[in-house]
Amino acid sequence: MIKVQMNECMKAVAITGERRVEILSMRIPRPKPNEVLINIRACALCTWEQRVFKGEKKTPLPLIGGHEIAGQIVALGEDVDPQQFPVGAAVAPRIIKACQSCSFCRRGNPTQCIQLNTFHLNGPDVYGMGGFAEYICLESSAVWCFNRSLPFEEMALTEPLACVLHSIYQAKPLFGDDAVVIGGGIMGQLHLMCLNKMGVRTILSEPDKKRRDFALSRGCKYLIDPSSEDAVEAVKKITGGRGAQAVFNTTAIASVGEEGMRMLENTGRYVAFSSIHPDLPISLNPNWLHSSEVVLTGAVNPSIQSFEQAVNLLDKGWLDLKDLITDTYPVDKAQQAFERAIAGDAYRVVITF
Ligand SMILES: [Zn+2]
Ligand SMILES: [Zn+2]
């Protein structure tokens, strides 16, 4: 167990400019009542932070990002049950806020909580979710304990897995349905892995052969190369002319999303999983929407339920995510970690503390 002194400092990785990160020294936060102090052991680099690093997404700087976190409990605030949150336990937190009192939380839709944007977790002076730091304090309700010993790098993928499980929940596929996943990056691969387990026949549309091969080796049933064939026609062919019951767009390209909608069978569900950059309009035939009864929706953030499911899947050893970790860098090599993450061919790059 690590003893944390009141005045001790910690390392934090901050984006301080375009393609520049620095290691800052910050005061270790103290847990308030109902909070848990976590020693972060691994934090994965999400696309959002990569876009800030590249200068594509403007935020206040310095930014201490990081929300795909795994670590260990080191101290408890007042009123936290030490049986439920034992010091030393390995944990993954759902870092975004669920206030439990807004109408979205009360209706069971915490991904839309009005207090969602918790960008000042490290105090009022620093912007960012704060996962790229050695310590973080979070309310105990946001913390999930693991029973199985799993490398922290893999445990850090709980959050992206939970985002994907929420996306699949939005599409509500049934046994034997056909689902198209557009894009074979980490989020696409996570969709495929989960859908395969659920008894859904999976189709991946992805131009990169290496990513198609990876999906195939993990149980994906059909592969489409949209750079050499018409992806909509290919889906129709695979599905006997009907189209798929579920389509997930994990790419950031507006026209690809529009094409994905045309892959749907009547009454099918389309999930806009990724945000779109640039945010270009798409065209939609209103009579098609009327007569096909398709459902067009999105998936943003993990729900509380999907986080619970992600922890269960990993803790029970039901999903093995280690091959999705392309590289791991110690905190002092954070600059290299960011550069590796944006190189284009990585699934996930993880910073360890
Ligand atoms: Zn993320
Ligand atoms: Zn709320």
Side-chain angles (χ1 to χ4, degrees):
M1 179 186 147
I2 304 156
K3 281 257 182 294
V4 183
Q5 301 302 322
M6 197 73 175
N7 296 321
E8 246 184 280
C9 286
M10 65 175 183
K11 286 179 185 172
V13 178
I15 299 172
T16 53
E18 199 174 316
R19 298 193 180 232
R20 194 174 70 239
V21 299
E22 288 171 46
I23 313 289
L24 304 183
S25 181
M26 292 176 60
R27 187 73 59 83
I28 296 174
R30 311 298 305 172
K32 296 195 220 34
N34 294 314
E35 283 188 349
V36 169
L37 177 65
I38 299 167
N39 175 211
I40 296 172
R41 301 291 302 278
C43 184
L45 264 154
C46 183
T47 316
W48 189 86
E49 285 111 17
Q50 293 172 36
R51 291 184 56 237
V52 177
F53 180 72
K54 285 194 273 186
E56 290 172 10
K57 170 91 190 165
K58 300 292 174 205
T59 70
L61 298 178
L63 169 92
I64 300 177
H67 55 273
E68 301 180 359
I69 301 168
Q72 272 176 301
I73 295 177
V74 286
L76 304 176
E78 267 173 59
D79 302 327
V80 179
D81 179 0
Q83 305 284 338
Q84 199 184 352
F85 298 98
V87 169
V91 294
R94 180 185 178 275
I95 200 165
I96 55 173
K97 183 96 177 163
C99 75
Q100 308 294 356
S101 58
C102 76
S103 65
F104 292 111
C105 282
R106 287 180 170 173
R107 283 187 301 195
N109 300 314
T111 56
Q112 300 293 329
C113 174
I114 60 167
Q115 288 187 34
L116 198 72
N117 288 327
T118 37
F119 280 108
H120 291 282
L121 280 170
N122 284 316
D125 307 329
V126 187
Y127 186 76
M129 292 203 187
F132 291 127
E134 287 178 287
Y135 294 91
I136 195 165
C137 279
L138 291 165
E139 285 173 26
S140 60
S141 63
V143 176
W144 271 256
C145 296
F146 279 71
N147 296 308
R148 194 164 78 101
S149 80
L150 189 69
F152 287 110
E153 296 92 310
E154 286 171 54
M155 203 180 285
L157 299 187
T158 305
E159 197 271 353
L161 176 61
C163 288
V164 165
L165 292 168
H166 177 59
S167 171
I168 292 171
Y169 173 83
Q170 295 287 74
K172 301 179 173 45
L174 303 175
F175 285 115
D177 274 357
D178 288 316
V180 180
V181 175
I182 306 172
I186 180 172
M187 292 304 185
Q189 301 292 350
L190 285 171
H191 273 86
L192 292 167
M193 286 176 178
C194 296
L195 291 162
N196 291 337
K197 292 270 187 204
M198 292 173 72
V200 173
R201 191 168 69 157
T202 47
I203 304 164
L204 169 66
S205 176
E206 161 62 54
D208 184 84
K209 184 173 184 314
K210 272 217 290 238
R211 292 184 163 184
R212 290 199 305 272
D213 288 346
F214 183 92
L216 190 66
S217 73
R218 300 300 186 285
C220 179
K221 291 287 179 274
Y222 291 96
L223 303 170
I224 297 169
D225 175 2
S227 65
S228 69
E229 57 189 317
D230 182 319
V232 177
E233 285 309 310
V235 170
K236 291 276 160 80
K237 212 166 139 195
I238 292 164
T239 57
R242 298 193 317 270
Q245 285 83 27
V247 175
F248 304 89
N249 181 21
T250 71
T251 78
I253 309 160
S255 60
V256 167
E258 186 179 327
E259 189 180 63
M261 292 174 195
R262 297 207 302 275
M263 297 171 181
L264 285 173
E265 184 182 27
N266 286 3
T267 75
R269 288 176 167 254
Y270 171 88
V271 181
F273 178 81
S274 292
S275 56
I276 298 292
H277 311 285
D279 189 12
L280 297 171
I282 55 169
S283 63
L284 198 74
N285 180 331
N287 273 330
W288 165 72
L289 191 58
H290 163 71
S291 57
S292 68
E293 298 187 319
V294 296
V295 176
L296 308 178
T297 185
V300 63
N301 301 316
S303 67
I304 295 169
Q305 177 185 291
S306 72
F307 210 94
E308 169 82 11
Q309 290 172 326
V311 171
N312 280 330
L313 282 172
L314 295 179
D315 209 20
K316 291 173 185 174
W318 195 242
L319 273 186
D320 182 353
L321 305 185
K322 72 169 170 306
D323 293 339
L324 292 174
I325 297 159
T326 306
D327 265 311
T328 301
Y329 292 83
V331 56
D332 293 326
K333 296 218 164 101
Q335 177 76 32
Q336 286 99 311
F338 271 82
E339 280 162 14
R340 180 70 190 88
I342 64 166
D345 61 333
Y347 285 124
R348 263 299 183 267
V349 171
V350 178
I351 292 175
T352 53
F353 297 89

